[in-house]
């Protein structure tokens, strides 16, 4: 089963993707994570996209489509979760063609609906363990009181360079301008289901589970 998690920055796509990976053995393909990894390791592509990402703008279709194309041959018996991809109509078309060429298809597109007002507070509150990548949020899932990651015991936590109010405004604008048309695109294809992304993490998880069966 291959699915897309669609929603603005801070909707909880990454959190839900990680749960699906653990529960269903699916493979998460997050173009944001891939781009951040390229940025951190200082590859030519990573250096090229760094400024664009920090400002909250979209990286070119060509780059992200290339990143996804490279991953589709990976072993994924449980299916792929596309997280943060596609973000433009051109990316959506490319994903359809890529899957088609592998004899695969998309099963569900899940739109995670949230109010814009909560996004700023959610995003400026989030951090990740520097050792294992476990996500935390000061509001919904704070770092344990002993200051150690509950998964690996690491004590270094990072905040994303683009998780600030200025970048978020640009990211939200990019979402409404370039990505939200995908809601209509997948609705017309009969693939779209919307879930309430404002409830507790476990409640959102159960709404998604109901869709996937
Ligand atoms: P994310 O982790 O999904 O919030 O992505 C972080 C940043 O990476 C975005 O603000 C963009 O700069 C870039 N990015 C990630 N995925 C895409 C995509 N599918 N298309 C264009 N830019 C992307």
């Amino acid at each position: 089963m291959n699915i897309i998690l669609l929603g603005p920055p801070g909707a909880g796509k990454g959190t839900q993707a990680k749960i699906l990976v653990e529960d269903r053995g699916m493979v998460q393909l997050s173009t944001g994570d891939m781009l951040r990894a390229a940025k951190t390791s200082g590859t030519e592509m990573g250096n090229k996209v760094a400024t664009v990402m920090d400002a909250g703008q979209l990286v070119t279709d060509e780059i992200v489509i290339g990143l996804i194309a490279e991953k589709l041959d990976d072993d994924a018996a449980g299916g792929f979760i596309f997280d943060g991809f596609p973000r433009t109509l051109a990316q959506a078309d490319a994903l359809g063609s890529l899957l088609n060429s592998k004899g695969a298809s998309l099963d569900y597109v899940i739109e995670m609906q949230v109010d814009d007002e909560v996004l700023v507070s959610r995003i400026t509150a989030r951090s990740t363990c520097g050792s294992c990548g476990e996500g935390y949020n000061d509001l919904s899932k704070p770092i344990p009181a002993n200051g150690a990651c509950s998964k690996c015991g690491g004590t270094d936590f990072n905040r994303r360079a683009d998780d600030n109010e200025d970048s978020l405004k640009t990211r939200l604008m990019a979402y409404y301008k370039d990505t939200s048309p995908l809601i209509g695109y997948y609705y017309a294809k009969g693939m779209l289901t919307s879930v309430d992304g404002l409830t507790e993490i476990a409640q959102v998880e159960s709404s998604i589970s109901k869709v996937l069966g």
Side-chain angles (χ1 to χ4, degrees):
M1 175 161 60
N2 297 312
I3 69 168
I4 293 175
L5 294 180
L6 189 64
K13 303 184 294 292
T15 303
Q16 293 299 326
K18 288 192 172 56
I19 293 173
L20 290 167
V21 168
E22 293 220 340
D23 290 357
R24 295 176 184 249
M26 298 179 79
V27 172
Q28 176 189 14
L29 294 184
S30 156
T31 39
D33 285 350
M34 294 175 207
L35 291 165
R36 274 185 291 282
K39 211 177 120 186
T40 310
S41 55
T43 63
E44 195 185 327
M45 186 268 279
N47 294 336
K48 200 164 131 191
V49 298
T51 328
V52 173
M53 286 178 74
D54 289 352
Q57 292 156 355
L58 292 187
V59 167
T60 63
D61 289 335
E62 193 190 354
I63 289 179
V64 289
I65 292 167
L67 286 172
I68 290 290
E70 275 175 26
K71 298 281 180 187
L72 289 185
D73 284 328
D74 287 4
D75 191 15
F80 290 112
I81 307 159
F82 298 97
D83 161 13
F85 180 92
R87 261 175 156 99
T88 64
L89 289 168
Q91 292 176 24
D93 280 337
L95 178 61
S97 308
L98 281 168
L99 287 171
N100 209 10
S101 71
K102 314 261 173 220
S105 56
L106 262 182
D107 297 281
Y108 298 100
V109 177
I110 298 179
E111 183 210 355
M112 301 178 62
Q113 292 182 325
V114 282
D115 288 341
D116 292 345
E117 298 95 83
V118 304
L119 297 177
V120 178
S121 53
R122 270 194 187 184
I123 279 193
T124 48
R126 68 184 184 181
S127 57
T128 349
C129 170
S131 309
C132 73
E134 181 73 354
Y136 290 94
N137 190 294
D138 304 339
L139 308 170
S140 55
K141 186 183 162 191
I143 294 165
N146 66 358
C149 172
S150 54
K151 203 167 168 194
C152 76
T155 49
D156 267 350
F157 298 91
N158 305 323
R159 291 202 190 260
R160 279 171 48 168
D162 59 349
D163 274 353
N164 60 70
E165 283 196 41
D166 276 350
S167 288
L168 179 61
K169 274 185 201 142
T170 312
R171 286 154 74 196
L172 261 186
M173 198 61 84
Y175 179 77
Y176 286 114
K177 186 167 158 277
D178 298 311
T179 310
S180 65
L182 300 185
I183 296 170
Y185 175 97
Y186 287 118
Y187 174 78
K189 286 179 177 278
M191 287 180 182
L192 189 83
T193 310
S194 302
V195 300
D196 183 356
L198 278 176
T199 54
E200 299 284 310
I201 292 173
Q203 179 60 50
V204 181
E205 178 187 348
S206 127
S207 309
I208 293 177
S209 252
K210 276 192 199 125
V211 177
L212 304 185

